[in-house]
Amino acid sequence: MLTYAKNVADQQGAPIDAGGPTLGPTELFFSTTDRRGVIGLGNSVFTRVSGYALEELTGQPHNIVRHRDMPAGMFRLMWDRLAEGRPVGAFVRNQARNGAAYWVFAAMSPVPGGYVSVRLAPCSQYFGLAEKIYAQARIAEQESSGAGSDRRGVAASGARGLEEALHRYGFPSYDEFMYETLPAEITARGNLVSATSLRPYASGPIAAVLAGTALVDERLEQMVGRLGEYQELCDRLMTAAAQVTDITRRIDRSVAAARDASAGVADEHPGLLNIAQVMGEPMREAAATLHTLRSELDRLRAAVTQLRFRISLASLYNSMVAAFAAEVVDSTAPAHTLKAVPLLCDTTAGGLSGMADQMHEVNAQLSTVARLSERASTALDRFRRFLGQWRLRVLRHKAGPVIGAKLAPIDEEIAVSWEWKELLNSLGGEFLASTITFDFVALDAQLAAIASAAAQCVPD
C-alpha cells in the first residue's frame, strides 16, 4: 500500500482559516444526532470552535457547520456505512459561524436512536492525501452536475471519484483508507498529547471516572502494541513469501535445466534423469503453497487492520470520557455534561463483541499462516534434498564435464533455497507463538464502573 507522507512535526492543531478559532491537538469535539442528523448533545469544544452556543446548535441539522467544499460523495460514503450499523471515520472540513473553515477527523458510530461523533484535530500523514482525493471527488461532482445529474447522482459520482482516487494511491477501497487513518490519527495525537486528562487532585466519583479511563487506556494500548508487532511480522513474512515465490520461478528453470542436462547422459547415467523428473513435484507443491500463503497473509493483514481500527475507536471514545471528566474537575463544564459518559461507555461496550470476533479471526489466520509457512518450508526442503542428490550423483558419475555450464544455476538454487526455507520456517514459528489473548469481560466491567461513577456525579 502506498503511503502519502506529510510533515506534521510542527503542527499544533487543526488547519484553520486566518481569524478562526484554534483547535488544539489535546481537544476533542463531541456531539450526538438523531437518525435525521439533528443535533442533540454537544460539548464546550464544539460550541467554541463552531462559534455557536449549544442552545443554537441543539435541534439544528448537523450540516449547519458543513463547508461547501466538502464533497457530497464523502458524506454518501459516511452515511452508507452508518446506515449499515457500522462505525466510520473521515476527514471533514467544517465552517464556523464567522465563515472560517476548520478541519477535523470525525469518528462516528450508530447508537440507539441516532449517532455519536467524536472529532479531533488531524495530525497524521494521511491528512494531505485526504485533501488531494477530496479535490478529485469535487471535480467528478462538478462534471456530474454539469451533465444534469440530480443531487443523488452527483453524490454517487463523487463517491466513485473519491474511491478511484484512493485506488491510485494504493487503497483498494474507502474502508481500507479508513482502517488506516483512524489508528494513525490516534497515534499522532498520542505523540503530541501527554497525560492531558490526568487530575491527581480529583476525589470522589469523578476521580473514579478518570482512574477508570486510565485503566482502559492501559488495556487497549497493550493490544495495540501487539497488533503493531503482528503487522511488522506480516511485512517480514510477505517479503519472504515474495522472495520465495521468485525463487520457485527460478527453481522451475533449474528443474528444466536438470532434466535437460540429465537427458543428455541418460544412457550412461539413468538415475540422474529419474531424480530430475521427480524433483519437480515438491517444487510445484511449494509454489502452490506459497501462492496460498500470500493470499492468507493478505487476509491476516486485513483482520489486523480492522481490529486496530476498532481498538482505536474505543480508545478515542475513552479519551472523550476522560475529557468530559477533566472539564468538570477544572470547573470549565457543569457536572450535567457527564450525562454523555454512559452513552460513550455503552457505545464502546457494544463494539466489544465485534472486537472479540475480529480477534478470533486474527488468531485463526495466525494459525493458518503458521501451518502454510511450515508446509512451504517442508516442500522446499524436499526439493533441496532432491536437487542435492542430483548434484552429488553428477559428481559421483563424473558427469560434470558433459553437463558443463548447466550446473551453475542449479548450484546457486541449492544455496539460496536453503536460506529462504530457514527464514520461512522461523517466521512460521513466530506466528504460531503469537496468539492474542484479551480479557473482554474485564474491560466490559471497567466500562460499566466508569458509567456508574459518572452517573453519581450528575445532579438530580
Side-chain angles (χ1 to χ4, degrees), residues 424-439:
L424 272 179
N425 198 45
S426 172
L427 291 175
E430 289 187 54
F431 272 88
L432 195 59
S434 296
T435 301
I436 310 175
T437 57
F438 189 79
D439 192 344

Side-chain angles (χ1 to χ4, degrees), residues 407-418:
L407 287 175
I410 296 170
D411 287 340
E412 179 183 344
E413 297 312 326
I414 291 175
V416 176
S417 64
W418 173 255

Side-chain angles (χ1 to χ4, degrees), residues 9 19 24 32 37 58 62 84 106 119 160 177 194 199 216 248 260 263 267 299 305 316-317 361 400 419 425 428:
T32 64
T58 303
H62 208 287
E84 294 170 357
R119 302 180 291 286
R160 284 194 300 273
F177 179 65
S194 177
R199 299 293 187 276
V216 170
T248 59
D260 182 40
D267 292 339
R299 289 184 60 189
T305 300
L316 179 60
Y317 290 166
E361 172 70 12
E419 175 187 343
N425 198 45

Side-chain angles (χ1 to χ4, degrees), residues 1-337:
M1 179 180 297
L2 298 177
T3 299
Y4 183 91
K6 182 172 182 175
N7 181 9
V8 294
D10 297 326
Q11 185 170 313
Q12 297 301 313
I16 196 161
D17 284 356
T22 301
L23 174 61
T26 65
E27 296 185 299
L28 295 173
F29 276 63
F30 172 83
S31 65
T32 64
T33 69
D34 63 15
R35 296 292 183 191
R36 297 172 299 143
V38 175
I39 298 170
L41 299 175
N43 73 333
S44 61
V45 177
F46 187 17
T47 59
R48 181 181 63 77
V49 176
S50 70
Y52 293 95
L54 186 57
E55 295 76 17
E56 295 176 291
L57 292 169
T58 303
Q60 293 297 316
H62 208 287
N63 63 13
I64 189 174
V65 294
R66 179 173 176 176
H67 194 281
R68 63 185 179 278
D69 286 345
M70 269 298 293
M74 184 64 255
F75 290 108
R76 169 73 175 267
L77 293 173
M78 289 163 51
W79 284 108
D80 283 352
R81 283 153 180 76
L82 290 171
E84 294 170 357
R86 299 164 52 197
V88 64
F91 293 97
V92 179
R93 192 181 194 194
N94 286 333
Q95 183 169 300
R97 184 173 195 159
N98 66 358
Y102 61 92
W103 282 92
V104 297
F105 185 87
M108 297 151 279
S109 294
V111 296
Y115 308 99
V116 63
S117 174
V118 176
R119 302 180 291 286
L120 63 158
C123 296
S124 79
Q125 72 270 27
Y126 293 106
F127 172 61
L129 175 55
E131 291 181 294
K132 286 179 174 289
I133 62 174
Y134 286 5
Q136 294 175 57
R138 287 195 299 271
I139 291 173
E141 291 178 3
Q142 291 166 3
E143 291 174 350
S144 179
S145 178
S149 297
D150 59 14
R151 291 177 62 185
R152 284 180 175 272
V154 168
S157 296
R160 284 194 300 273
L162 192 150
E163 292 207 301
E164 288 170 1
L166 283 172
H167 291 169
R168 291 192 286 273
Y169 287 97
F171 294 92
S173 68
Y174 182 76
D175 285 340
E176 298 300 322
F177 179 65
M178 175 180 75
Y179 293 150
E180 290 287 343
T181 51
L182 176 58
E185 288 298 331
I186 297 299
T187 300
R189 180 177 185 268
N191 292 336
L192 294 170
V193 177
S194 177
T196 301
S197 298
L198 291 181
R199 299 293 187 276
Y201 48 84
S203 62
I206 196 71
V209 172
L210 289 167
T213 59
L215 287 174
V216 170
D217 263 343
E218 183 179 346
R219 291 176 182 273
L220 295 175
E221 283 174 7
Q222 289 173 355
M223 194 190 301
V224 168
R226 290 292 302 279
L227 292 174
E229 294 172 7
Y230 296 154
Q231 285 199 311
E232 181 181 347
L233 194 55
C234 279
D235 289 340
R236 289 168 59 201
L237 188 53
M238 184 66 83
T239 299
Q243 291 288 344
V244 176
T245 299
D246 184 56
I247 288 170
T248 59
R249 296 191 186 100
R250 299 203 304 268
I251 285 174
D252 190 37
R253 293 194 293 269
S254 295
V255 170
R259 286 175 181 164
D260 182 40
S262 300
V265 294
D267 292 339
E268 299 87 353
H269 311 293
L272 286 176
L273 184 57
N274 291 337
I275 294 175
Q277 287 173 336
V278 299
M279 75 170 67
E281 184 273 326
M283 183 274 292
R284 287 189 294 272
E285 180 185 351
T289 303
L290 287 165
H291 179 76
T292 304
L293 175 60
R294 295 184 72 176
S295 298
E296 292 300 327
L297 276 171
D298 285 338
R299 289 184 60 189
L300 175 58
R301 285 181 61 88
V304 168
T305 300
Q306 291 175 39
L307 183 54
R308 284 182 71 234
F309 174 83
R310 289 181 179 276
I311 294 170
S312 297
L313 189 66
S315 176
L316 179 60
Y317 290 166
N318 186 61
S319 294
M320 189 69 251
V321 170
F324 271 120
E327 285 191 333
V328 172
V329 172
D330 296 341
S331 299
T332 57
H336 70 77
T337 58

Side-chain angles (χ1 to χ4, degrees), residues 382-395:
R382 287 177 59 210
F383 172 78
R384 185 188 66 84
R385 291 176 184 275
F386 274 127
L387 199 53
Q389 289 175 22
W390 183 86
R391 185 65 178 85
L392 287 173
R393 290 209 177 195
V394 169
L395 293 173

